[in-house]
Amino acid sequence: MALSSFYKRRKAGSEQQPPGPTPYPVIGNLLELGDKPHKSLAKLAKIHGPIMTLKFGQVTTVVVSSASMAKAILQNHDSSFCNRMVPDAACSYNHQEIGMVWLPVSTPWKNLRKICNLHIFSSHKLDANQDIRRKKIKHLLAYVEENCRVGQAIVIGQAVFNTSLNVLSNTIFSVDLVDPTAREFKDIVWGIMTELGKPNLSDNFPLLKKLDLQGIRRRMTIHYSKIFEVFDRLIDQRLDQRQEHGYNTSTESSDVLDTLLNIRQDKSVEIDGNDIKHMLLVLFILFPFLHKFQVI
C-alpha cells in the first residue's frame, strides 16, 4: 500500500479538510500512531478512507494511503504539494535554505535540480559508475562468505551500511571508507541519520523549536560542523591535486566532486563552495535516508 504524508499548517476552520479521527486536546492523534505507525495508519485508513486528516500535536497532517489517490495528488496537484515540512533537526547551519531536499520550488532549487539531472543522476553517469557498485557488492558477498566459513556472526545492518557508504564515497570522492582513517566519517554519518530518525517534539509543537528540549538540533549542529570540516579537507585536497596536475575539465573523467568543481569553475550554473558542501551532505546522507524511509 502506497503511503504519502503531506504536512501543511493551516488556521483552524480556514479550509475544509478530509475526515479523520477526532484529535485529543494538545497532543492530537499522536497516541493513535503506536509503536508501528504504518500499521496504525493502515487501520485508520480502513475507517476514514484513503485520504484522511490527523493532528500530530499542533501540526495538521493529511495522510494518503491509496495508489490512485497518491497519483492524483502527485500528478494533478503537484504544484500544491511539492514543498515539504522541514524537520527541525535538518535546520542546523541553515541547511533548509540551501539543501536541495528542503528548498521550495525556486530558482536555486531549479539550478540544483538541473545539476543532479544533467551531471549526477543522468543515465551516462549512472552507467559509468556501474563497475563501482558491482565491485562493492562483490566485496560484501566475499565478506559474508568468509565469515560463514569461519563461523563468525555478521551484523548485517552494519555490513550493508558500510557497503552503501563505500559505494557513495567512491562515486563522490573516489575514496574507499574501509580505510581506518575514515571511521570518524562513518561515526558522523551514523550520528546524523540517528538524530534525523528520532521523534522530535519540535516538529509536532513548533512553539518548542527555540527551546530544543531534546537537544537534537544542538547535536545535529555538532555533526554538521564535523562533516563540513571533512568536506573542506577533501575539497582542498582535490583543488591542490587539480592545480598540481593541471586538471582539464573537458577531457578528464571525473567523480561527483570534480563535476561540481567544474560547474563552479565554468559558471554554467551559479553555485559556490557552500552550495557544494550542502549538496554533498544531501547526496551522502539525506537521499539515502529519505529513500530508506520512503519520504516523498
Side-chain angles (χ1 to χ4, degrees), residues 210-267:
K210 291 184 178 181
L211 300 178
D212 190 25
L213 294 177
Q214 296 164 262
I216 292 176
R217 196 181 338 110
R218 174 180 55 81
R219 291 190 294 273
M220 282 290 284
T221 299
I222 295 173
H223 290 317
Y224 278 8
S225 175
K226 290 180 178 179
I227 202 168
F228 284 151
E229 288 178 5
V230 174
F231 289 161
D232 281 332
R233 291 201 302 268
L234 290 170
I235 291 172
D236 289 342
Q237 290 173 6
R238 182 62 56 85
L239 289 173
D240 290 342
Q241 292 171 1
R242 288 159 65 104
Q243 185 174 5
E244 181 180 351
H245 297 96
Y247 188 89
N248 188 334
T249 61
S250 62
T251 60
E252 298 282 352
S253 60
S254 59
D255 52 24
V256 171
L257 178 56
D258 272 327
T259 298
L260 294 175
L261 292 175
N262 291 345
I263 292 171
R264 185 180 69 171
Q265 180 178 327
D266 297 341
K267 297 182 179 180

Side-chain angles (χ1 to χ4, degrees), residues 7-292:
Y7 299 80
K8 199 172 185 180
R9 209 173 304 155
R10 301 171 178 171
K11 295 181 180 179
S14 63
E15 294 184 32
Q16 184 68 33
Q17 295 174 347
T22 302
Y24 293 101
V26 183
I27 62 173
N29 303 109
L30 283 173
L31 294 180
E32 298 183 68
L33 287 179
D35 57 351
K36 296 180 179 180
H38 60 296
K39 291 187 176 182
S40 300
L41 292 175
K43 290 180 180 179
L44 289 172
K46 292 179 180 179
I47 301 173
H48 302 284
I51 179 169
M52 60 183 174
T53 301
L54 297 173
K55 195 85 171 179
F56 295 151
Q58 297 175 329
V59 178
T60 300
T61 304
V62 176
V63 180
V64 178
S65 55
S66 77
S68 59
M69 191 64 69
K71 182 179 180 180
I73 289 175
L74 294 175
Q75 290 188 352
N76 302 337
H77 303 282
D78 57 324
S79 60
S80 299
F81 294 95
C82 58
N83 300 329
R84 69 173 79 248
M85 186 194 80
V86 182
D88 186 57
C91 293
S92 301
Y93 272 81
N94 293 322
H95 182 62
Q96 77 281 9
E97 298 178 1
I98 306 173
M100 183 181 65
V101 172
W102 313 116
L103 283 173
V105 175
S106 57
T107 299
W109 178 82
K110 290 179 180 179
N111 288 337
L112 295 175
R113 183 173 179 269
K114 178 181 178 181
I115 291 173
C116 287
N117 287 341
L118 296 181
H119 303 286
I120 297 178
F121 298 128
S122 65
S123 298
H124 173 72
K125 283 290 185 180
L126 293 176
D127 290 343
N129 294 325
Q130 192 175 60
D131 287 341
I132 294 176
R133 298 192 295 273
R134 186 180 292 112
K135 180 180 178 182
K136 295 308 169 186
I137 292 298
K138 287 182 178 179
H139 286 175
L140 175 61
L141 293 175
Y143 171 77
V144 172
E145 290 176 359
E146 176 62 21
N147 280 271
C148 290
R149 186 181 65 79
V150 300
Q152 180 71 37
I154 302 172
V155 181
I156 293 296
Q158 187 64 48
V160 173
F161 177 76
N162 290 345
T163 299
S164 299
L165 275 185
N166 286 331
V167 170
L168 283 170
S169 65
N170 274 272
T171 302
I172 297 173
F173 300 121
S174 300
V175 173
D176 199 330
L177 291 181
V178 166
D179 193 298
T181 58
R183 184 174 300 275
E184 175 192 7
F185 189 81
K186 290 182 180 179
D187 291 341
I188 296 170
V189 172
W190 189 258
I192 291 176
M193 294 183 69
T194 299
E195 296 300 335
L196 281 173
K198 289 180 179 178
N200 192 343
L201 287 173
S202 297
D203 293 332
N204 301 120
F205 302 94
L207 293 175
L208 300 178
K209 282 189 176 183
K210 291 184 178 181
L211 300 178
D212 190 25
L213 294 177
Q214 296 164 262
I216 292 176
R217 196 181 338 110
R218 174 180 55 81
R219 291 190 294 273
M220 282 290 284
T221 299
I222 295 173
H223 290 317
Y224 278 8
S225 175
K226 290 180 178 179
I227 202 168
F228 284 151
E229 288 178 5
V230 174
F231 289 161
D232 281 332
R233 291 201 302 268
L234 290 170
I235 291 172
D236 289 342
Q237 290 173 6
R238 182 62 56 85
L239 289 173
D240 290 342
Q241 292 171 1
R242 288 159 65 104
Q243 185 174 5
E244 181 180 351
H245 297 96
Y247 188 89
N248 188 334
T249 61
S250 62
T251 60
E252 298 282 352
S253 60
S254 59
D255 52 24
V256 171
L257 178 56
D258 272 327
T259 298
L260 294 175
L261 292 175
N262 291 345
I263 292 171
R264 185 180 69 171
Q265 180 178 327
D266 297 341
K267 297 182 179 180
S268 55
V269 178
E270 288 298 326
I271 60 171
D272 57 23
N274 201 34
D275 292 322
I276 290 177
K277 289 193 295 184
H278 283 269
M279 172 71 83
L280 295 176
L281 177 64
V282 168
L283 294 175
F284 234 111
I285 297 168
L286 295 180
F287 272 163
F289 180 87
L290 293 175
H291 175 72
K292 177 180 178 182

